[in-house]
Amino acid sequence: MAKVTISLDSDLAIEVMLLSGTRSPQDAVELIVRDYLATRSRTEARTGDAADQHRLTDRPLRAEEG
């Protein structure tokens, strides 16, 4: 797998390390990016994306039940 090198502000790297509970900036950023991608995938699975708009326009609106 190819590696990419980026530079971050040291305060940002430390904050990410503290939030993620890791000991290295590399691991912290990797965890944050993986979490972001997983969250995005879960959100799209629940809400759909722009290509799924036809599902909403074909259905009449109704009041929420409950």
Side-chain angles (χ1 to χ4, degrees):
M1 177 184 293
K3 298 278 183 174
V4 175
T5 303
I6 60 169
S7 61
L8 293 174
D9 179 65
S10 61
D11 291 336
L12 179 62
I14 291 169
E15 188 170 344
V16 170
M17 287 170 57
L18 291 173
L19 288 172
S20 64
T22 59
R23 294 182 182 255
S24 78
Q26 171 78 31
D27 293 342
V29 171
E30 192 171 313
L31 281 173
I32 296 296
V33 170
R34 288 182 189 277
D35 182 62
Y36 171 79
L37 293 173
T39 301
R40 183 171 182 254
S41 295
R42 288 191 305 266
T43 300
E44 284 180 358
R46 291 190 66 161
T47 62
D49 59 10
D52 293 331
Q53 286 297 82
H54 69 279
R55 294 185 309 155
L56 300 175
T57 57
D58 293 341
R59 186 174 12 158
L61 297 176
R62 65 176 191 199
E64 290 290 323
E65 297 178 34

